[in-house]
Amino acid sequence: MAEIHSLLNTDASNTTRFNGANNVSTLDDAGRALEGMLSRWIKDNDGSNTTTGTATAYVIALNRTGIAANADVDRICVRFHLANSGAATLQCNSLAALPIRKAGNEALVTGDILANDVKDVVYNPANNSFQLLGQ
């Protein structure tokens, strides 16, 4: 099933759900699927997702489905349950944990993340890590 990261920028190119040959019930189903997709993306970006794990190995369960690689995570807003105690990783769903970096490619130091901090995180393909934004 496609998720929001699969949608194309040009409206007319998104033909999977709205191809012009749909009957009313199919359009209703497509509309619901679109609303669900948007809802999952919003909940992954509103700061309500809280990590579990340790102060150096955070884990988060995202609402979106169909995330097969860390690159699919794009941007998320995370509430960290613990302050970090040094360099740290973030694991999204069952994907491989990746290092969390700041200011380009610097490892975190103790106190970069405080307990209950809400931080924007984005996947950085240049160094296969999660980058803290706004540090």
Side-chain angles (χ1 to χ4, degrees), residues 58-104:
Y58 297 102
V59 178
I60 192 161
L62 298 177
N63 293 286
R64 286 175 281 169
T65 59
I67 294 177
N70 279 309
D72 295 337
V73 173
D74 299 320
R75 177 195 169 277
I76 55 176
C77 188
V78 178
R79 180 179 303 277
F80 290 91
H81 72 297
L82 296 172
N84 74 304
S85 58
T89 61
L90 178 62
Q91 179 182 357
C92 297
N93 297 353
S94 60
L95 301 174
L98 296 180
I100 303 171
R101 302 289 190 201
K102 64 177 184 176

Side-chain angles (χ1 to χ4, degrees), residues 49-59 78-86 88-89 100 108-119:
N49 274 354
T50 302
T51 58
T52 59
T54 69
T56 58
Y58 297 102
V59 178
V78 178
R79 180 179 303 277
F80 290 91
H81 72 297
L82 296 172
N84 74 304
S85 58
T89 61
I100 303 171
L108 299 183
V109 297
T110 299
D112 280 334
I113 297 172
L114 302 176
N116 293 311
D117 262 359
V118 176
K119 302 273 190 185

